[in-house]
Amino acid sequence: MELLSHLADGFATSLSPLNLLIVILGVTAGLFIGAMPGLGSVNGVAIVLPMTFIVPPSSAIILLAAIYYGAMYGGAISSILLGIPGASTAVATTFDGRPMAQQGKAGLALIAAATASFVGGTISVVLFTLFAAPLADVALAFGPAEEFALVLLAFTTFVGLGGDDVLKTIIMICLGLALSTVGLDLISGQPRLIFFDEPGFFSGISFLVLAIGIYGIGEVLYTIETSKSAPTVTPAKLTFADLWLGLKEVNKLWKTLTFGSFIGFFVGMLPAAGATPAALMSYGLSKIMSKEPETFGKGNIEGVASPETANNAASTGSLLPMLTLGIPGSPTTALLLGGMVMWGLVPGPMLFIEQPDFVWGLISSLYTANLAAVLVNLALIPLFVWALRMPFTVLCSIVLVLCIVGGYAPSQKIHDVWLIAGFGVAGYLLRKADYPMAPLVLALVLGPLMEKSFRQTLIAEQGNVLAFVERPLSATFIAISLVFFLLPLLKYAKKSSRARGASNEPAK
């Protein structure tokens, strides 16, 4: 009863006219921020953070959380329509969302993404409301060894992502891990893999630069080269009947949506994990458990719903360690944490006791922000789909401009623009050679986290490698990783034995 009382007080705060207007404006702005390559929730929150001093802290956190939520929804738009993930959280959505758009199913893909985001956000907020305190203890039990094992699990779920050619997938993962080490050493600060002594490499290779080059420039080059005539974008339209049919289609994926929500929330609440590993892991596990895994990467609606559910659930889960422990669960929540400190609030267990209006106002605003985000998103889907009616020559020019601006804006270095061009050509060549792009991007995103947790564990345990299997949680994750890694080999052995059995059968 006390929980319901706190939640009712929170809704009284979040549903006030001012805060309700802030939620609607925040999710709308976040939707467009998330859809723009090069921006994303981190930049959106950073831009608005200085403006929050004109409103009370409870309204300020509601505004920032609404932008965060809207940006998580909006990340799917550029992934589906342009094939360019605007942020790392939307990488997995590109794998099936872009093929669906090319097949004239952009509306269905956007409906699936919006609905999945709503389901993931709703389930995660309910879990947040019910289990905030005990789940904070679980998150606190995660050390560097557990973080390493969790990232290893994410990698092994993607071993089969490149299709039947496991070797090519492993090669791309190794290439991505090598690229993730470019820059300054995490411990000693010594430069590593500084190509041609170019100073721009000292800051490493940004995920955004790689993703924009491979999925933006590379996609344009591949489309132009493989098209026999002038490429055209499939005309697309969306009516209310199509919207209703799309919602019915997504309703069939309730198992995937539920599973992705729990995975996303659990991974998101772990310090330093965030929505990107959650989305990638959910996609990989959905493919493994699917009855038609061969359709993933070719326009499977489940491949859109699964990561979108997980990344929105993770965005809520990442708020948990920030509020209860004072530990940001993602780069965006780190900015939110900084805002709380500026407003004179001290994150931690006592925050629920000393500032209940602030905490429960935030929690209740997540319900209203989630509902507002899905309504705004669904209302604007016809506008997004209408954009596909433009000629390919115009769309191609827009994509190239967005790639250059999106890659240059965050760092404002011409070095990154040249890298985008280089990765675009490399992505085009690798795609022609039938190498999977997803494992490369996955490795670049998760590589630094994996290296940091691995080296932290070895330093703390004085070089004892067995520390990873001596801790129960990390040992469990490593065991599951081993199973996922061996699955493709077992499938190959089973297929080979069947082929030998068929060849040994006497001819009738």
Side-chain angles (χ1 to χ4, degrees):
M1 292 300 293
E2 184 180 2
L3 176 65
L4 294 177
S5 175
H6 284 311
L7 195 58
D9 293 338
F11 274 113
T13 300
S14 63
L15 292 179
S16 65
L18 172 63
N19 289 337
L20 193 58
L21 177 62
I22 284 176
V23 165
I24 296 173
L25 293 177
V27 297
T28 305
L31 188 66
F32 286 96
I33 288 172
M36 290 294 294
L39 290 181
S41 61
V42 178
N43 293 323
V45 171
I47 292 169
V48 178
L49 187 59
M51 308 177 190
T52 58
F53 289 101
I54 62 176
V55 294
S58 59
S59 298
I61 192 68
I62 288 174
L63 171 62
L64 297 181
I67 292 175
Y68 186 17
Y69 247 64
M72 296 303 293
Y73 273 72
I77 297 171
S78 60
S79 294
I80 293 170
L81 298 185
L82 302 177
I84 307 173
S88 60
T89 55
V91 168
T93 309
T94 309
F95 304 154
D96 284 274
R98 181 56 180 165
M100 288 185 68
Q102 292 173 326
Q103 296 164 15
K105 300 178 182 177
L108 179 59
L110 289 170
I111 291 170
T115 309
S117 298
F118 175 74
V119 173
T122 301
I123 292 178
S124 61
V125 173
V126 172
L127 292 175
F128 189 105
T129 306
L130 296 176
F131 305 112
L135 287 177
D137 296 334
V138 174
L140 196 59
F142 267 70
E146 287 77 14
E147 288 179 5
F148 170 80
L150 185 66
V151 175
L152 181 64
L153 177 60
F155 277 121
T156 54
T157 58
F158 267 64
V159 166
L161 187 63
D164 296 329
D165 199 332
V166 177
L167 179 59
K168 286 185 177 180
T169 302
I170 295 176
I171 289 174
M172 296 302 283
I173 288 178
C174 292
L175 178 59
L177 288 174
L179 292 176
S180 72
T181 62
V182 174
L184 300 178
D185 184 271
L186 293 172
I187 306 300
S188 67
Q190 293 295 317
R192 303 183 301 187
L193 299 180
I194 306 301
F195 302 105
F196 312 111
D197 293 326
E198 169 61 39
F201 285 112
F202 279 91
S203 57
I205 296 176
S206 166
F207 147 79
L208 191 63
V209 170
L210 178 72
I212 288 177
I214 287 178
Y215 290 109
I217 306 293
E219 176 72 20
V220 170
L221 293 177
Y222 184 81
T223 303
I224 293 174
E225 194 264 344
T226 55
S227 299
K228 297 180 180 178
S229 58
T232 57
V233 177
T234 304
K237 64 178 182 178
L238 187 70
T239 63
F240 285 106
D242 297 326
L243 180 61
W244 178 248
L245 290 175
L247 293 174
K248 289 176 65 177
E249 188 71 22
V250 175
N251 188 49
K252 300 176 184 177
L253 306 176
W254 64 270
K255 290 183 180 179
T256 299
L257 300 181
T258 305
F259 176 77
S261 299
F262 281 92
I263 286 288
F265 184 76
F266 175 73
V267 175
M269 75 177 189
L270 304 178
T276 301
L280 293 167
M281 187 180 299
S282 179
Y283 182 92
L285 292 174
S286 296
K287 180 179 179 181
I288 289 173
M289 296 185 298
S290 175
K291 296 179 180 178
E292 299 177 332
E294 68 280 356
T295 63
F296 276 68
K298 301 176 182 178
N300 190 323
I301 189 174
E302 192 175 353
V304 175
S306 178
E308 282 301 304
T309 305
N311 65 30
N312 278 268
S315 66
T316 302
S318 64
L319 295 173
L320 181 65
M322 182 197 75
L323 290 176
T324 57
L325 305 175
I327 303 173
S330 68
T332 308
T333 53
L335 290 174
L336 296 178
L337 179 65
M340 291 175 60
V341 173
M342 288 192 301
W343 304 325
L345 302 172
V346 181
M350 294 303 294
L351 187 67
F352 283 77
I353 299 174
E354 296 175 351
Q355 300 287 342
D357 293 341
F358 175 86
V359 172
W360 291 101
L362 169 62
I363 293 175
S364 62
S365 73
L366 297 179
Y367 287 93
T368 54
N370 198 33
L371 179 61
V374 72
L375 292 178
V376 172
N377 202 342
L378 290 175
L380 294 179
I381 282 177
L383 174 63
F384 299 139
V385 175
W386 173 83
L388 286 184
R389 299 173 59 187
M390 68 179 67
F392 178 81
T393 51
V394 177
L395 183 62
C396 175
S397 303
I398 293 175
V399 169
L400 291 176
V401 170
L402 287 176
C403 287
I404 295 172
V405 174
Y408 177 78
S411 63
Q412 297 184 4
K413 297 178 181 177
I414 196 66
H415 167 81
D416 286 345
V417 177
W418 287 114
L419 278 183
I420 287 174
F423 283 131
V425 174
Y428 159 73
L429 295 175
L430 287 170
R431 183 169 177 183
K432 282 182 67 68
D434 201 26
Y435 277 82
M437 296 294 105
L440 173 65
V441 179
L442 168 72
L444 184 67
V445 171
L446 299 185
L449 176 60
M450 189 178 197
E451 181 190 3
K452 183 185 72 172
S453 56
F454 180 76
R455 296 179 69 177
Q456 283 178 338
T457 303
L458 291 182
I459 292 172
E461 300 293 335
Q462 299 182 348
N464 180 21
V465 181
L466 295 178
F468 294 101
V469 295
E470 290 173 350
R471 298 171 67 94
L473 275 176
S474 61
T476 302
F477 286 139
I478 290 174
I480 298 173
S481 301
L482 186 61
V483 172
F484 284 151
F485 184 78
L486 293 176
L487 272 178
L489 300 179
L490 294 176
K491 290 180 180 179
Y492 178 77
K494 188 176 180 181
K495 185 184 298 184
S496 299
S497 63
R498 284 181 178 177
R500 285 195 300 269
S503 63
N504 292 332
E505 288 182 1
K508 294 182 180 179

